[in-house]
Amino acid sequence: MSRIISSAAIRGAHRLVRKAEEKWRQAMDAKGPSEPVEFPNTGYYLPVIYGLTGRKVQRLSDLEPVLGLCRELLPEEPKEHLWTPYLGTALDAGVATLFAEETIEAMRYVMGPNPVEGIWLGAADDVILRERGIEFVDGRAPGFAAVVGAAPDAATAVRMAKEMQQKNLYIFMAGQTRGMQFAQQLAEAGEDLGWNTRLVPYGMEIEAQIYSLGFATRAALSFGGVAPGDYQGVLRYNKNRIFAFVIALGEVTDEWYATAAGAISYGFPTIADTPIPQILPTGVCTYEHVVSDVPHDKIVAKAVEVRGLKVAAPKLKLPVAFGPAFEGEIIRRADTFVQIGGNESPAFELVRMRELSEVEDGKIEIIGPDLDGAAAGKLPLATIVDVAGRKMNEDFEPVLERRLHDFINYLEGVTHNAQRDILRIRVNHKARAAGLSLRHFGEMIYAEMKSEYQSVVDKVQITFLTEEAAVLARREEARRAYAARDARIASLTDDTVEEFYTCTLCQSFAPNHVCIVAPERIGLCGSVNWFDAKAANQLKPGGANVPVYRGEVIDALRGEYAGINEMVKTNSHGTLEALNLYSMMENPMTSCGCFEVILAVVPEGNGVLAVNREHTGMTPTGMKFSTMAGMVGGGMQTPGFMGVGKHYLTSKKFIQADGGLLRIIWMPKQLKELLREGLERRAAELGVPDFLDRIADEDVGATAEEILPFLEEKGHPALTMDPIM
Ligand code: SF4
Ligand code: ZN
């Protein structure tokens, strides 16, 4: 880092710390020291401050020592010719800047104007952190670009954004150049902004970039298992695991330099499009921290190179961009050129296993009109994917079929919802104008199937039918196949299969966690069922899913088996001795952090509550989901609490040792509705067909006292069961 940059960073840091002090003082005068301070729906307080110092800022008065720390960190303000700053002082100034910026943003939540306004999203809550952060862990997103300022024009902004999306990066935007921000340029050009498209506009001012670092800090705490206050751990996790960089567009102000110095501590370099005076570094640099004067068509490539990100080159040539970054697009009715399925035309998709001799590898056939021949914006469609391979197995059909959803969604300008014969595909006008055809769907499916499933798929052939009569005729065949598969799954019970499967995918961030996936107990993330685990084991033996055999029965009701105990002990590296599959009260399954639902005992009601991740309100344990998540996660056994997949609630084996489904006394309405069909079926089997109406929800109350009279009035079965504790 050059001396000029260091001096500028220190000046900027002083200005931002002064601003933070002023804003805090104003808030103190207006609201008093005990006024609550928080970012919405997070268990991480003000995350940068919490992560780096361990301080839980909850009220205005808690910020006083933080601002004091800023002052301590700040080196003397540089004076011309007298001061020779070096990297260390500039980095301290950078960290002071981050605390100051987080304070300034927090004061916006306290005093207004609220950071969430117009296109600006403000701080991401913990639901988003979970959903999106996991992509940083499993590699779906290699990292993020923090874009500061604005491109020279909207077209350049769009080109740059596409290039970054194509590399699956998230793009976090804040900080303006002369009244304009990159995100505004994208919005102006008609781009969809939001977490789903990975184009995340945080705010107009440079301070709002703190949300990028807040996100990175929370990733280290939640996925990296770093303890709050272990600042070296937080910074190391980010330097090694999160590929992020700052792109500075337009004139770089002192405040930007100060923020860049903060980002450097996280290992995130800055790449600028303007010339920055180059004076030889006086500090020790392991790689280039600041790269300047890079032309716009090279800047993304340069950033990727400087940060050392390895991005696989796209293997396909298609008229639109593609990749997981486009999965979350939303295509509104008005932007739709053609809709396939979704009650407007018959549509289905089917993956069929065939003999090797029956499949012509790489053949893509379209029978009937292509997308541009759609009448009145509708098109019937049958997508039939025939696969063959020496190691292919019928059980893989649904696993491969479910991936069609991802592959088609990868195309920019195309969305795919649901599956089987209830799917809906939309193609927007832009994609159509670019020349997108069903052939490209086929090429995408072919390339992905061959690369992702090369161990079992030797040949793939794809047929699209778009004549309504033909689609209807073939749909019968597809429905027979779906029904046969469903019957197979329904007939499977824990007692009729030989083996269960482990899942240790989440050990990347919860090192001792292991899920046991059984036919009647889906993985707690809700996305790995027994078939998936079995297929994954065959697709990649020795991977995260390996078979477990029960061995000697220790207790059938609790679901305790010698073989499982042994496996769990090994996989948890000796931290667990025993595991009961069907109890949450005694040696329950551990939770990594991905659970869809948390179960928790409510002793006053002799029952259990189930709360889903989306429910942000209070629950009768006196804790919100996010608080309980902090207690339950991390791969420990927490008797009385357990994270589960939501469909486990409808299983016959649902906490059978603790009284089963009838123990549930409270759940949010949203969860009730989501699972209604399955819950009603189970309740009828248990002889209480109106059971759902006897479960309290947030309308009845959010404390044990509030719901007890309701449970009594309804004669809730849990009240007369054996004591749960
Ligand atoms: Fe596997 Fe469990 Fe993680 Fe889901 S939550 S990915 S089942 S370890
Ligand atoms: Zn997990």
Side-chain angles (χ1 to χ4, degrees):
M1 187 185 312
S2 81
R3 176 172 149 197
I4 290 189
I5 299 177
S6 296
S7 307
I10 293 169
R11 268 198 309 273
H14 274 270
R15 248 178 259 158
L16 284 161
V17 170
R18 271 199 299 275
K19 181 168 175 184
E21 287 167 341
E22 270 161 36
K23 297 274 169 201
W24 172 74
R25 187 39 66 203
Q26 284 165 8
M28 285 284 280
D29 290 346
K31 313 248 173 173
S34 50
E35 176 73 10
V37 175
E38 60 173 6
F39 288 154
N41 295 315
T42 176
Y44 298 95
Y45 311 95
L46 304 188
V48 173
I49 295 170
Y50 182 53
L52 297 187
T53 72
R55 283 173 190 281
K56 301 176 178 176
V57 173
Q58 289 166 291
R59 339 213 142 266
L60 278 175
S61 55
D62 298 335
L63 279 166
E64 186 157 13
V66 173
L67 290 167
L69 185 59
C70 289
R71 280 287 161 202
E72 265 173 57
L73 284 168
L74 272 188
E76 198 180 319
E77 227 166 320
K79 300 180 191 71
E80 220 58 52
H81 308 303
L82 286 177
W83 184 258
T84 314
Y86 61 98
L87 194 61
T89 55
L91 292 189
D92 278 355
V95 172
T97 300
L98 303 185
F99 296 162
E101 291 183 325
E102 200 163 49
T103 302
I104 295 167
E105 286 301 310
M107 293 308 97
R108 293 203 167 111
Y109 279 100
V110 174
M111 299 287 285
N114 194 299
V116 184
E117 204 239 318
I119 61 170
W120 309 114
L121 300 176
D125 63 21
D126 284 354
V127 176
I128 293 175
L129 173 77
R130 278 279 168 214
E131 265 175 33
R132 306 292 164 171
I134 191 79
E135 299 178 0
F136 290 84
V137 174
D138 68 18
R140 272 173 292 163
F144 65 83
V147 181
V148 180
D153 52 66
T156 309
V158 171
R159 264 201 310 280
M160 288 175 60
K162 291 276 144 336
E163 208 184 329
M164 292 187 273
Q165 280 178 306
Q166 188 88 252
K167 295 186 163 41
N168 300 327
L169 293 161
Y170 274 84
I171 299 143
F172 294 157
M173 298 170 279
Q176 52 175 301
T177 304
R178 283 184 293 279
M180 180 57 91
Q181 216 287 323
F182 194 76
Q184 293 173 313
Q185 296 179 309
L186 297 181
E188 184 187 299
E191 292 297 312
D192 252 335
L193 301 184
W195 282 94
N196 53 337
T197 53
R198 303 195 179 194
L199 301 171
V200 182
Y202 279 135
M204 193 71 186
E205 304 302 328
I206 182 71
E207 295 94 284
Q209 273 301 355
I210 197 62
Y211 299 127
S212 308
L213 294 169
F215 190 86
T217 307
R218 290 192 287 165
L221 299 181
S222 113
F223 301 112
V226 178
D230 174 8
Y231 66 94
Q232 287 177 327
V234 171
L235 303 179
R236 201 178 322 115
Y237 182 88
N238 276 286
K239 190 172 186 342
N240 298 337
R241 299 289 294 269
I242 309 276
F243 287 92
F245 48 85
V246 180
I247 288 195
L249 302 173
E251 192 204 333
V252 178
T253 66
D254 290 352
E255 284 85 346
W256 289 18
Y257 280 123
T259 308
I264 286 169
S265 297
Y266 280 73
F268 305 158
T270 294
I271 292 83
D273 67 343
T274 51
I276 287 172
Q278 291 296 321
I279 292 177
L280 283 180
T282 53
V284 185
C285 301
T286 48
Y287 59 86
E288 295 165 281
H289 297 299
V290 181
V291 184
S292 80
D293 212 7
V294 185
H296 297 109
D297 57 344
K298 302 257 160 53
I299 201 163
V300 175
K302 185 73 193 170
V304 163
E305 177 200 314
V306 170
R307 188 65 183 95
L309 174 62
K310 286 176 196 51
V311 188
K315 3 173 204 338
L316 272 174
K317 280 246 169 294
L318 297 179
V320 296
F322 59 91
F326 302 99
E327 244 176 331
E329 279 177 297
I330 293 166
I331 298 180
R332 278 170 278 271
R333 187 81 243 194
D335 299 326
T336 305
F337 165 69
V338 59
Q339 175 166 318
I340 291 161
N343 293 330
E344 301 221 333
S345 55
F348 71 89
E349 53 201 14
L350 181 67
V351 169
R352 309 187 298 178
M353 182 176 114
R354 284 286 173 268
E355 294 300 326
L356 279 163
S357 60
E358 293 172 315
V359 179
E360 186 181 323
D361 190 39
K363 181 172 171 194
I364 297 170
E365 206 178 355
I366 303 161
I367 303 169
D370 202 332
L371 295 178
D372 52 7
K378 296 180 205 174
L379 192 69
L381 178 69
T383 303
I384 299 169
V385 180
D386 290 328
V387 297
R390 273 170 296 271
K391 296 204 194 122
M392 183 63 195
N393 174 325
E394 249 173 16
D395 286 346
F396 303 158
E397 287 177 349
V399 178
L400 300 184
E401 193 176 288
R402 209 160 335 129
R403 296 310 305 280
L404 296 177
H405 166 78
D406 303 319
F407 302 155
I408 292 174
N409 256 330
Y410 286 172
L411 295 162
E412 188 190 14
V414 182
T415 56
H416 182 289
N417 295 88
Q419 48 171 336
R420 292 188 171 180
D421 56 349
I422 54 167
L423 67 90
R424 188 190 82 185
I425 298 173
R426 280 181 173 178
V427 178
N428 71 11
H429 289 286
K430 250 198 206 161
R432 145 91 184 100
L436 190 74
S437 137
L438 285 174
R439 177 158 304 282
H440 301 120
F441 283 37
E443 288 172 7
M444 184 84 206
I445 295 169
Y446 178 78
E448 293 289 334
M449 287 274 177
K450 287 294 279 255
S451 74
E452 287 212 22
Y453 297 103
Q454 49 188 344
S455 60
V456 292
V457 170
D458 297 334
K459 288 176 157 188
V460 182
Q461 154 186 328
I462 301 147
T463 312
F464 297 103
L465 304 163
T466 61
E467 304 281 7
E468 179 153 338
V471 175
L472 288 174
R474 298 295 291 274
R475 194 171 66 182
E476 291 317 306
E477 172 196 342
R479 286 183 169 167
R480 279 195 300 276
Y482 304 147
R485 282 183 206 160
D486 288 345
R488 269 173 56 74
I489 297 181
S491 69
L492 273 186
T493 66
D494 287 6
D495 306 317
T496 54
V497 299
E498 229 161 76
E499 82 286 14
F500 296 164
Y501 288 89
T502 61
C503 187
T504 50
L505 268 182
C506 288
Q507 291 203 343
S508 58
F509 60 91
N512 296 325
H513 170 73
V514 45
C515 276
I516 301 290
V517 181
E520 293 178 272
R521 183 161 184 180
I522 190 166
L524 58 88
C525 57
S527 55
V528 179
N529 70 25
W530 185 84
F531 269 111
D532 299 320
K534 183 183 167 81
N537 174 247
Q538 278 161 305
L539 294 169
K540 201 173 161 206
N545 306 102
V546 299
V548 201
Y549 298 90
R550 274 161 287 189
E552 187 202 332
V553 183
I554 299 174
D555 187 313
L557 183 70
R558 288 202 310 266
E560 184 176 9
Y561 304 91
I564 293 180
N565 281 351
E566 203 176 303
M567 182 59 132
V568 165
K569 189 169 178 182
T570 318
N571 271 289
S572 68
H573 312 108
T575 55
L576 301 182
E577 289 291 331
L579 180 135
N580 292 328
L581 276 179
Y582 313 129
S583 170
M584 60 178 285
M585 299 307 293
E586 198 185 326
N587 294 331
M589 201 176 296
T590 59
S591 303
C592 43
C594 312
F595 31 77
E596 295 180 299
V597 165
I598 294 178
L599 305 174
V601 167
V602 184
E604 299 90 332
N606 199 33
V608 166
L609 68 77
V611 56
N612 52 319
R613 184 175 291 281
E614 295 76 18
H615 186 75
T616 53
M618 194 44 81
T619 78
T621 53
M623 290 180 275
K624 294 181 183 174
F625 182 96
S626 55
T627 314
M628 283 193 272
M631 291 172 44
V632 180
M636 294 164 311
Q637 283 179 327
T638 323
F641 293 88
M642 187 163 69
V644 296
K646 54 181 176 260
H647 288 292
Y648 178 51
L649 270 69
T650 64
S651 159
K652 285 191 176 135
K653 298 282 191 193
F654 176 69
I655 55 167
Q656 70 174 20
D658 312 321
L661 181 65
L662 300 182
R663 274 288 183 190
I664 298 218
I665 56 173
W666 187 92
M667 71 164 82
K669 279 188 295 187
Q670 193 191 8
L671 184 59
K672 254 190 217 178
E673 288 317 311
L674 201 76
L675 297 177
R676 182 170 283 280
E677 204 188 316
L679 291 175
E680 280 178 346
R681 180 171 19 84
R682 252 325 266 153
E685 284 167 7
L686 293 166
V688 194
D690 67 341
F691 180 60
L692 242 63
D693 303 329
R694 305 198 201 181
I695 304 177
D697 55 35
E698 66 272 32
D699 285 353
V700 177
T703 63
E705 297 73 58
E706 282 167 2
I707 64 170
L708 270 180
F710 173 90
L711 299 175
E712 270 155 22
E713 181 202 314
K714 297 281 176 183
H716 192 290
L719 298 178
T720 52
M721 283 184 186
D722 289 344
I724 190 158
M725 291 178 78

